[in-house]
Amino acid sequence: MRLLASLRRVSDGVNHVAIVVCVACILFMLGISFTAFLYKLATGSTLSWTYSLARLFLPWIGFLSMTISLRYGEHVAMTLLVRSLPRLLLKVAAGLCLGVIALFALMLVWYGWVYFEGASQVYMVSDQIQIHSKFTAIVVPLSGLIILLHLVQGFDLLEHFIDDETMIEELIESNDTEERS
């Protein structure tokens, strides 16, 4: 149990770091775009590199946001259907859901690593700014690892199963009563 509690703290810490990195990426994008806007106002011409540089942060924002939303239970779910299931099927559905999430995370790690290793291009943002494509490719397996780490949270990831405990308990009791009748 200590190991699980420690892993859950690590998961929470990694989630906090992911939030900070995601916010930093958004701020960098906004800063680059605002710089381009001010330059256009001041000179009347555009900076050719701003769009290319700003879009390199999009994969980081997208993939890290995915891990953050998973941690808070804000992922695609069929809550109404699941809530109407009997208790046993509710647990089975939760287990299947965690299994599918784990499979998705493993695929992100496996295929993302292959993608990262094969990334050989260099993005020519400008004559002076060149960024290797591995910068954007590494976020794919990294996000898979973060999702796998978050799985130590167990059913807490599936907030749609437990976010309104009284309603769920009422549904479970009513389903159990109907089954006995």
Side-chain angles (χ1 to χ4, degrees), residues 77-86 89-90 93 160-161 171 175:
M78 296 187 293
T79 307
L80 184 61
L81 174 67
V82 172
R83 283 184 177 177
S84 66
L85 295 174
L89 290 178
L90 182 72
H160 57 279
F161 288 107
L171 282 171
N175 283 340

Side-chain angles (χ1 to χ4, degrees), residues 4 8 11 70-71 73 75 94-95 97-98 101 147-159 161-162:
L4 189 59
R8 285 182 175 170
S11 171
L70 172 70
R71 176 59 191 93
H75 46 80
C97 188
L98 289 176
I101 291 170
I147 291 171
L148 286 173
L149 176 63
H150 286 334
L151 285 175
V152 300
Q153 301 290 343
F155 290 147
D156 289 346
L157 292 178
L158 307 176
E159 193 171 286
F161 288 107
I162 59 171

Side-chain angles (χ1 to χ4, degrees), residues 50-151:
T50 55
Y51 172 75
S52 298
L53 184 59
R55 71 186 174 104
L56 292 178
F57 293 101
L58 285 175
W60 283 89
I61 294 168
F63 278 92
L64 289 180
S65 295
M66 175 180 56
T67 67
I68 295 165
S69 66
L70 172 70
R71 176 59 191 93
Y72 291 113
E74 299 295 330
H75 46 80
V76 176
M78 296 187 293
T79 307
L80 184 61
L81 174 67
V82 172
R83 283 184 177 177
S84 66
L85 295 174
R87 186 174 195 87
L88 178 64
L89 290 178
L90 182 72
K91 289 182 179 183
V92 169
L96 285 173
C97 188
L98 289 176
V100 168
I101 291 170
L103 180 64
F104 176 70
L106 287 170
M107 290 174 65
L108 279 175
V109 172
W110 181 264
Y111 292 108
W113 187 256
V114 171
Y115 173 62
F116 171 73
E117 285 182 325
S120 60
Q121 295 179 335
V122 174
Y123 295 121
M124 301 296 289
V125 177
S126 72
D127 292 340
Q128 293 82 24
I129 303 172
Q130 301 174 8
I131 298 177
H132 203 281
S133 60
K134 287 188 186 284
F135 170 76
T136 56
I138 192 62
V139 74
V140 178
L142 181 65
S143 64
L145 290 173
I146 293 171
I147 291 171
L148 286 173
L149 176 63
H150 286 334
L151 285 175

Side-chain angles (χ1 to χ4, degrees), residues 28-41 47 49-50:
F28 278 127
M29 281 185 65
L30 287 173
I32 292 166
S33 298
F34 191 66
T35 301
F37 170 73
L38 290 178
Y39 186 82
K40 174 93 172 162
L41 281 179
L47 293 170
W49 55 268
T50 55

